[in-house]
Amino acid sequence: MTKEAAGRARPGRTPVPAGRRARPRQAEVARLAGVSQATVSLVLSGRATATGRPISEETRKKVLDAAHSLGYVPDPAASRLAAARNNLLGVYSFTATFPTDVRHSYYPFLVGVEQEAAAQGYDIVLFTGSSSGGAGAAGAGALNRVRLADGCLFLGRHVPVDELHRLVADGFPVVHVGRRDEVEGLAWVGADYVSAGREVVTALTGLGHRRILLVREDDDAPASTDRERGFLDGLTASGLPAGPNAVVRCGDPRREVTADRVRAWFADGVTAFVAEETDTGAAWRALRSAVAEAGLSCPGQVSLALLGSPPPDLADGPVPMGFDIPRPALGAEAVRLLASRIGGGAVGSTLVACTFRPGATAGAPATP
Amino acid sequence: MTKEAAGRARPGRTPVPAGRRARPRQAEVARLAGVSQATVSLVLSGRATATGRPISEETRKKVLDAAHSLGYVPDPAASRLAAARNNLLGVYSFTATFPTDVRHSYYPFLVGVEQEAAAQGYDIVLFTGSSSGGAGAAGAGALNRVRLADGCLFLGRHVPVDELHRLVADGFPVVHVGRRDEVEGLAWVGADYVSAGREVVTALTGLGHRRILLVREDDDAPASTDRERGFLDGLTASGLPAGPNAVVRCGDPRREVTADRVRAWFADGVTAFVAEETDTGAAWRALRSAVAEAGLSCPGQVSLALLGSPPPDLADGPVPMGFDIPRPALGAEAVRLLASRIGGGAVGSTLVACTFRPGATAGAPATP
DNA sequence: TTGTAAGCGTTATCAA
DNA sequence: TTGATAACGCTTACAA
């Protein structure tokens, strides 16, 4: 007899008839296997064998067979609610993950994320953040959806600091892809632009260059700051002055890096130019065409380098000296860090090394 | 008094003390507001006003204030469990979703899928044929993993018919991107290659062409069949013979579409050639170089058209007459269909129109 | 070795 | 108009 008096109509939701349900539940597996629902849970979660729980091999097999034949898959919401875990990793981008303009896409990161997540036994939930209007879009509480997963990766240039901080403060495992210091307690993985930038400069000084100019855009993203730091470190390490006139900041490289100015710099003794990679590749684009327009040969008269990868539409040109950001590796490392945080690991951020690319745009400076 | 006898030690999990819990629950909001927990749910979910539920303005305010002052945020796992919907859409590709080579990826579809999913309030779970994430591994039963979502989109050329049919038969909402008739009861969205192919042909006959040849590969994918059907329809509609010698099937276009054969066809009166788009773009590639090699000018002497889009590496050449497959629109439509199926809508498949592309490779035939 | 039942934090139903 | 209370599907402490 059930615990409530029979025959009296009582409040509460009426159960869903098992007939019309697309997804089988543990109770159905249990029925089929002829065991209790709890036993099914024990067997399927692996907690039986793991914790040395006593489950007979026969029962195990019956349960597994039944589960398989029904196509049972645990409900992530229920698992999460009961056990606070469901083997789901979230990925949340503050801009569309698959933008129409492939240039700013997070695709290369996802390659690594996907692989490493699979290796660690997680499935990936792409939280459709700011892709467009709609239910899940911006607004307070948008980030809250990620709590369905065991932890979440965040990608993007602009971050809603407060909301993110709330997640972190609540102890929800979060890792940001890209260095990000403005959110307290936030773990991140970033590319080591400082070392990579230094390496490019020392490669140039190794070839004999003594006057090298950095062309960067005029914003203060961590990535830009780090690249400049590496550039200056490289100069210093080579015994060259790392003064402010080694760097040109320009709001609009196309207008400010002209053939005339390049000619003037060259006349002034500059033999190598370094551009930073940005979303649009504007600095590199401007530098390239200004040099060509100035009639200077590369790498004959001037050497060029790019702190990053060229934009896709310039992929056909000569491979620039510079470095590649190991985006898949960054994604994979982020997953590793997140998995560790989910497992109770400490907050720790990581830098991933970039790989130097000799390219074909740098050579020894012409001796005058 | 609670429903069980007091004083007796009973099995089951011990409740979490309210003191040491990270986040406030509705019950605590209710306590603070002096109402029942159910009322809190009603107020906060907005279901009160939406469904015209009777909630006094005073109660509403008390609840909202209490929630705000406690910093209440709903637990998505609990919501989804209770609502019996996860708001998760699966995306399953039979080849890797994240190939290293971006060109052959499903990226353009994903653009639309992501947008529309966000608009409909769904998040996305990415499954790949190769990865062994989460509960199940690859191999038999691999498709069962998708049951964790509320429904699933399938992409890819090759489909494990039996497994997919099993899902469909179980009433699990499934939509295939691309026409697919071999699985009974499977809903799909496809591109309308028939209409698009017909349109290209009538454009050519409108220019004055009377002998047009279709170069296709020698397999029987639905997409190829449809294109040929549209091509032949176009000929018929223009009062031209749609006989079998209007079509050339070749297993290896590169070897079978040679400059010699093109010259022969041209001498025989053929003034326009149409290739179908395939994965590799082989037909188009072969046609293009054979015509060039034969010394025939385009569109001066012969016109060319492509039933689809040129491969990325040929993007620089002249834009071919033909049509574009609206892949993002296909993805979006697939999501719409899937959402409708999840909501209990009927199975229905859709064709999406392709957009005609005049291009620069077709003109009036030279008058002899 | 297996079964029983509480509890996770919501939503939905019905009675008051 | 509001409040009890069952149910969602799962994990787990404890009893048998």
Side-chain angles (χ1 to χ4, degrees):
Chain A
M1 176 123 285
T2 53
K3 58 183 176 249
E4 71 274 347
R8 185 160 82 76
R10 293 166 313 85
R13 202 189 234 198
T14 50
V16 177
R20 199 60 242 143
R21 187 177 12 233
R23 281 193 294 245
R25 304 169 303 164
Q26 285 189 347
E28 277 138 48
V29 176
R31 212 132 49 216
L32 184 59
V35 300
S36 81
Q37 179 262 330
T39 304
V40 172
S41 173
L42 278 180
V43 170
L44 294 182
S45 67
R47 222 153 310 268
T49 50
T51 49
R53 286 297 296 266
I55 292 278
S56 77
E57 197 44 49
E58 195 197 332
T59 304
R60 243 182 79 76
K61 189 164 173 358
K62 275 193 303 188
V63 169
L64 291 175
D65 284 352
H68 190 258
S69 85
L70 288 177
Y72 169 81
V73 166
D75 182 320
S79 307
R80 177 91 191 130
L81 186 55
R85 49 180 316 235
N86 58 12
N87 277 28
L88 252 34
L89 285 192
V91 173
Y92 191 106
S93 354
F94 297 107
T95 59
T97 309
F98 299 112
T100 325
D101 180 357
V102 187
R103 280 214 302 255
H104 315 129
S105 124
Y106 297 109
Y107 192 92
F109 292 110
L110 285 182
V111 173
V113 168
E114 213 282 329
Q115 282 212 353
E116 184 63 23
Q120 306 249 354
Y122 287 98
D123 279 318
I124 293 292
V125 181
L126 212 64
F127 288 102
T128 52
S130 357
S131 15
S132 79
L143 282 204
N144 205 46
R145 280 159 46 246
V146 308
R147 302 179 116 112
L148 174 66
D150 291 344
C152 193
L153 247 42
F154 288 87
L155 304 152
R157 309 180 63 71
H158 305 109
V159 170
V161 174
D162 291 342
E163 273 210 86
L164 200 49
H165 186 260
R166 176 70 201 278
L167 280 178
V168 172
D170 283 351
F172 183 80
V174 165
V175 170
H176 191 271
V177 178
R179 184 158 78 79
R180 191 118 251 162
D181 296 320
E182 62 264 56
V183 181
E184 193 193 321
L186 178 63
W188 48 259
V189 304
D192 187 355
Y193 295 122
V194 177
S195 304
R198 190 192 310 121
E199 196 172 358
V200 168
V201 171
T202 42
L204 289 171
T205 59
L207 287 168
H209 295 274
R210 285 295 165 264
R211 282 286 312 273
I212 307 175
L213 205 66
L214 171 67
V215 177
R216 61 167 289 190
E217 294 190 58
D218 194 21
D219 64 1
D220 281 303
S224 294
T225 312
D226 288 357
R227 278 183 249 242
E228 175 171 332
R229 166 116 319 281
F231 174 82
L232 297 174
D233 281 6
L235 292 182
T236 307
S238 308
L240 299 174
N245 59 347
V247 177
V248 182
R249 267 179 178 255
C250 36
D252 182 356
R254 191 182 313 216
R255 314 187 131 264
E256 299 175 55
V257 180
T258 59
D260 282 350
R261 287 194 75 186
V262 165
R263 243 183 251 114
W265 280 318
F266 181 64
D268 199 35
V270 174
T271 58
F273 296 87
V274 177
E276 69 160 340
E277 175 196 331
T278 61
D279 267 0
T280 58
W284 175 244
R285 213 179 291 272
L287 192 55
R288 235 174 143 243
S289 41
V291 166
E293 226 182 288
L296 292 169
S297 71
C298 163
Q301 295 174 281
V302 298
S303 291
L304 298 180
L306 171 62
L307 303 181
S309 311
D313 58 303
L314 259 50
D316 289 338
V319 178
M321 167 181 276
F323 59 76
D324 290 305
I325 303 163
R327 290 179 224 261
L330 269 172
E333 179 60 25
V335 168
R336 254 172 258 130
L337 202 61
L338 186 55
S340 140
R341 286 203 43 54
I342 291 172
V347 183
S349 298
T350 321
L351 282 179
V352 174
C354 299
T355 58
F356 179 71
R357 183 185 57 224
T361 58
T367 40
Chain B
M1 177 121 282
T2 54
K3 59 181 176 255
E4 69 273 350
R8 185 160 81 78
R10 292 165 315 85
R13 205 184 232 199
T14 51
V16 176
R20 196 58 241 143
R21 183 169 25 226
R23 288 141 20 94
R25 303 170 303 163
Q26 286 187 347
E28 276 135 51
V29 176
R31 212 134 47 217
L32 184 60
V35 300
S36 81
Q37 179 261 335
T39 303
V40 173
S41 170
L42 233 41
V43 170
L44 294 182
S45 69
R47 221 159 311 269
T49 52
T51 49
R53 284 298 294 265
I55 292 279
S56 77
E57 197 44 52
E58 195 197 331
T59 305
R60 245 184 77 75
K61 190 165 175 354
K62 275 193 303 189
V63 170
L64 291 175
D65 285 352
H68 190 259
S69 83
L70 287 178
Y72 169 81
V73 293
D75 181 334
S79 308
R80 292 172 183 207
L81 178 58
R85 311 180 66 229
N86 288 318
N87 283 299
L88 252 33
L89 287 191
V91 173
Y92 190 102
S93 49
F94 298 105
T95 58
T97 316
F98 298 105
T100 330
D101 182 0
V102 184
R103 285 213 299 258
H104 295 153
S105 76
Y106 296 108
Y107 195 98
F109 292 111
L110 291 178
V111 172
V113 168
E114 186 193 11
Q115 280 218 355
E116 186 61 24
Q120 306 254 351
Y122 284 99
D123 292 311
I124 294 173
V125 187
L126 298 171
F127 301 101
T128 64
S130 47
S131 88
S132 59
L143 282 206
N144 278 330
R145 267 167 52 236
V146 308
R147 297 177 118 113
L148 134 184
D150 292 334
C152 192
L153 244 45
F154 288 86
L155 304 156
R157 308 181 65 70
H158 305 109
V159 170
V161 173
D162 291 343
E163 277 210 84
L164 200 49
H165 185 261
R166 173 73 197 284
L167 281 178
V168 172
D170 284 353
F172 185 81
V174 165
V175 170
H176 191 271
V177 179
R179 184 160 77 79
R180 191 118 250 163
D181 295 320
E182 61 265 54
V183 181
E184 192 193 322
L186 176 64
W188 48 259
V189 303
D192 187 357
Y193 294 123
V194 177
S195 304
R198 191 192 309 122
E199 196 172 358
V200 168
V201 170
T202 42
L204 288 171
T205 59
L207 287 168
H209 295 273
R210 285 294 166 263
R211 282 286 313 272
I212 307 175
L213 205 67
L214 171 66
V215 177
R216 60 167 290 189
E217 292 191 57
D218 194 21
D219 65 2
D220 282 302
S224 294
T225 311
D226 288 359
R227 278 183 249 240
E228 176 171 332
R229 166 118 315 282
F231 174 81
L232 296 175
D233 280 6
L235 291 181
T236 307
S238 307
L240 298 175
N245 59 346
V247 177
V248 181
R249 266 179 180 255
C250 35
D252 182 356
R254 191 184 312 216
R255 315 189 130 262
E256 299 174 54
V257 180
T258 59
D260 281 349
R261 288 194 74 184
V262 166
R263 241 182 253 116
W265 280 317
F266 182 64
D268 199 36
V270 174
T271 56
F273 296 87
V274 178
E276 68 159 341
E277 176 196 331
T278 59
D279 267 0
T280 57
W284 175 245
R285 213 180 291 273
L287 193 53
R288 234 174 144 241
S289 42
V291 166
E293 227 181 285
L296 292 169
S297 72
C298 164
Q301 296 174 280
V302 298
S303 290
L304 299 180
L306 171 63
L307 303 182
S309 313
D313 59 302
L314 260 48
D316 289 340
V319 178
M321 167 181 276
F323 58 78
D324 290 305
I325 303 162
R327 289 179 227 263
L330 270 172
E333 181 58 26
V335 169
R336 255 173 259 130
L337 203 61
L338 186 55
S340 141
R341 287 202 43 55
I342 291 172
V347 184
S349 298
T350 321
L351 282 179
V352 174
C354 299
T355 59
F356 178 72
R357 184 185 57 226
T361 59
T367 40

